[in-house]
Amino acid sequence: MTKRVLYCLLFCTALANAQEKQLRNNEERENDSAIQLFEKEYLKQEYDTFEGKITVIDHNTILFDNKTLLGNIPAEYLSIFTKGIFYPQLLLGNAENTPVKSDSEYKSLSEKEKFAYIISRNDTMKIYGFEELKFLQVSPKVKRFRFRYYRQGFTNPTIYFIELTNEEANEQTSPETFIKGARLTFLTDGWIMV
């Protein structure tokens, strides 16, 4: 092995270690921010479950009446959505969907009009990174989650938090049983990821 190859390997290893440390630091900062958010802004709320028609297209697409939820939701949490505990109308509103423009209609718009059209779209909600935040667990009756919401027309996602409460749950309650008896008791945005 030549010195050049050896130096390259050492440099790449050091770079990979530095990137991994930076990712851990970013995750720790984000977790600390989540803890502070719940300490400062938490107020228990009550939300109704979705009463409309829920259609599961596939594991990444769920239709709630006229609003679509897109995302890579872990299978163990899918029932949070399919049972109507959390649904797009909570963030997108219940208004009729903005009419979808054809390709030719869209191309005829000015840049300002295109941007206004894109950000006014209220038919689809994209979420990714849905995860339970076990470090925020205050009781076996409460589970807290975080996800990234990608709003139409914006590059950076907004971090959102939800809390589910199941008054009948205890330490032995399975995740499926917990969700079956849960209701949404907190929803807030945290910050925009940069």
Side-chain angles (χ1 to χ4, degrees):
M1 190 177 303
T2 67
K3 284 185 180 182
R4 183 179 285 170
V5 171
L6 183 59
Y7 288 134
C8 184
L9 285 172
L10 290 172
F11 175 77
C12 289
T13 302
L15 183 60
N17 289 339
Q19 288 174 333
E20 184 178 323
K21 184 177 180 183
Q22 180 65 36
L23 285 173
R24 278 196 310 268
N25 288 342
N26 289 345
E27 184 177 339
E28 286 174 14
R29 276 195 299 273
E30 192 168 298
N31 289 347
D32 287 344
S33 296
I35 291 167
Q36 290 174 21
L37 181 136
F38 274 90
E39 286 175 356
K40 293 177 182 175
E41 297 183 28
Y42 178 76
L43 179 64
K44 194 165 194 135
Q45 305 161 353
E46 290 291 327
Y47 292 90
D48 294 328
T49 57
F50 185 73
E51 295 295 326
K53 183 179 179 187
I54 300 172
T55 307
V56 178
I57 308 299
D58 59 38
H59 69 281
N60 293 323
T61 310
I62 306 170
L63 186 62
F64 295 81
D65 283 342
N66 64 342
K67 311 283 187 208
T68 304
L69 174 76
L70 299 174
N72 190 3
I73 300 160
E76 64 266 29
Y77 304 128
L78 190 60
S79 62
I80 292 170
F81 303 92
T82 60
K83 293 189 179 304
I85 298 169
F86 184 81
Y87 46 97
Q89 284 82 344
L90 292 168
L91 298 184
L92 298 175
N94 291 316
E96 285 296 315
N97 291 348
T98 305
V100 177
K101 297 192 178 300
S102 68
D103 286 343
S104 62
E105 289 173 317
Y106 182 76
K107 287 177 184 175
S108 71
L109 299 175
S110 70
E111 291 305 312
K112 265 186 173 178
E113 291 170 325
K114 285 178 182 176
F115 180 72
Y117 167 70
I118 289 169
I119 65 168
S120 71
R121 299 249 338 244
N122 63 342
D123 58 327
T124 303
M125 177 180 170
K126 296 177 186 173
I127 68 170
Y128 294 93
F130 192 87
E131 63 179 331
E132 183 178 351
L133 301 175
K134 295 184 183 201
F135 65 90
L136 283 175
Q137 185 173 355
V138 293
S139 149
K141 298 177 184 306
V142 174
K143 292 186 183 290
R144 293 173 173 170
F145 301 86
R146 168 175 53 202
F147 63 88
R148 297 184 310 273
Y149 168 42
Y150 288 85
R151 186 169 173 208
Q152 302 249 13
F154 293 87
T155 305
N156 297 355
T158 302
I159 302 299
Y160 269 83
F161 297 89
I162 66 171
E163 174 187 84
L164 302 184
T165 301
N166 180 336
E167 294 298 340
E168 306 300 317
N170 58 44
E171 275 105 15
Q172 286 74 41
T173 304
S174 70
E176 299 82 22
T177 303
F178 180 91
I179 293 169
K180 186 176 181 181
R183 65 189 194 290
L184 182 64
T185 53
F186 185 67
L187 165 65
T188 191
D189 60 332
W191 52 84
I192 295 175
M193 280 184 74
V194 182

